[in-house]
Amino acid sequence: MAEAVPVRCPACLRENGYTAPVFPCACGSPVHPPLDLSAPPVPLTHRTWSDTWVTVRCTTCGRESEWPHPELGCGSCGTVVLIPVHPLEGTGSPAGPAGSSATGSSATGSSPVGARTDPDGAGPWPAGGPVSGPAGGPVSGTTGGAGGAAEGRPAHIPPPPAPPVPRPAFRPVTIRTARDAVATAALYLRWLGFRDVRQPDGRPIPAATVDLRAPGLVAQVDPTTAPAGLRAVECVWLNGLTASATSVYFALAGYTEDARARADDLGIPLFVMDLTGMPQPVNDPADALVGPDA
């Protein structure tokens, strides 16, 4: 098991102990994200899908897998922070062609340190390598090699990052009772990337709203048949403000015009749920929360 390391909260400066989680690789070896303790932790104010995952390479078989990004909730002020992770080491080749030297000489004299000589005798190249021509390749007089351009890309430029793993489709649950509405909202929040979503104990009261909590999240679920009003939206915003968390509201019967306008001003995502159990965003903050970049 990995040893606990101190992580200082950027909000209250308290040091919290953190132990990196260990995950099983497909080959059976344990892997864990390589924490970058030299970089400060980043407060998590808005959770996105890309922030939720980090690529970790198995030191035994070299397999790269996506695992949850390390994060920690401060035990004093409740601030949730993302713990930086060392990026994977690239597989780039040397900046120049194979066999070239950082210090070269020509028939007429020595070239400056950090320059290389054009094999056609046209003069020294800059230290960064041959100059690119209009088509993106080297100018005439340069030669290709094992360390040269590959697929139209200079060797010293790394390949583009792999596209993010697409989010799987949400599986709705039919809503028949107030408990179903609360369970559907909790499932949807987990699908969005919020972890450890906690539901209240006991059976929900049909005529009352229900709170859902998670690290960095305060959600309100309204299973009643009346549209949610202005006061309800302001209450969930105040609860989120107190907890330094994102506020989200779910309603079965929609919202009044005043409530929607106030939510837009405060940046609160609003969702409406139909009886099929599929939440739908009804304002711009909600669209941003479930968007492809979220």
Side-chain angles (χ1 to χ4, degrees):
M1 179 179 294
E3 297 182 358
V5 296
V7 176
R8 186 179 297 275
C9 174
C12 67
L13 302 183
R14 170 181 174 175
E15 282 195 353
N16 298 268
Y18 177 78
T19 303
V22 178
F23 305 105
C25 178
C27 70
S29 301
V31 296
H32 60 85
L35 305 181
D36 184 2
L37 300 180
S38 63
V42 180
L44 182 60
T45 57
H46 175 74
R47 188 181 296 275
T48 64
W49 184 254
S50 59
D51 290 339
T52 306
W53 307 98
V54 63
T55 303
V56 180
R57 178 181 296 154
C58 177
T59 56
T60 301
C61 67
R63 182 189 301 268
E64 296 180 4
S65 304
E66 298 289 331
W67 297 104
H69 195 295
E71 64 180 53
L72 172 68
C74 178
S76 178
C77 66
T79 300
V80 178
V81 296
L82 287 176
I83 302 175
V85 174
H86 286 289
L88 293 180
E89 296 181 359
T91 57
S93 54
S100 62
S101 173
T103 305
S105 61
S106 65
T108 57
S110 299
S111 300
V113 175
R116 292 194 299 274
T117 304
D118 186 338
D120 288 345
W125 281 337
V131 180
S132 298
V139 295
S140 60
T142 65
T143 59
E151 299 179 357
R153 182 178 60 249
H156 64 281
I157 298 180
V165 178
R167 179 186 296 163
F170 176 70
R171 298 181 179 180
V173 178
T174 302
I175 297 177
R176 298 183 178 89
T177 64
R179 173 177 289 183
D180 293 337
V182 176
T184 297
L187 288 174
Y188 192 75
L189 290 171
R190 295 189 185 102
W191 177 75
L192 288 177
F194 294 98
R195 287 176 286 177
D196 300 328
V197 179
R198 299 185 298 274
Q199 302 182 42
D201 297 330
R203 183 182 298 273
I205 301 175
T209 57
V210 178
D211 285 336
L212 293 177
R213 298 292 179 113
L217 170 75
V218 173
Q220 194 89 19
V221 184
D222 187 352
T224 66
T225 56
L230 174 64
R231 183 173 181 179
V233 169
E234 290 181 338
C235 284
V236 73
W237 172 72
L238 289 174
N239 289 338
L241 192 64
T242 302
S244 299
T246 300
S247 302
V248 184
Y249 205 102
F250 294 86
L252 278 178
Y255 305 87
T256 63
E257 292 185 4
D258 291 343
R260 292 190 58 171
R262 187 59 171 157
D264 291 340
D265 294 339
L266 299 175
I268 299 178
L270 300 181
F271 294 88
V272 64
M273 299 185 294
D274 56 23
L275 297 183
T276 65
M278 187 66 191
Q280 299 291 340
V282 297
N283 64 349
D284 291 341
D287 287 331
L289 189 61
V290 300
D293 296 331

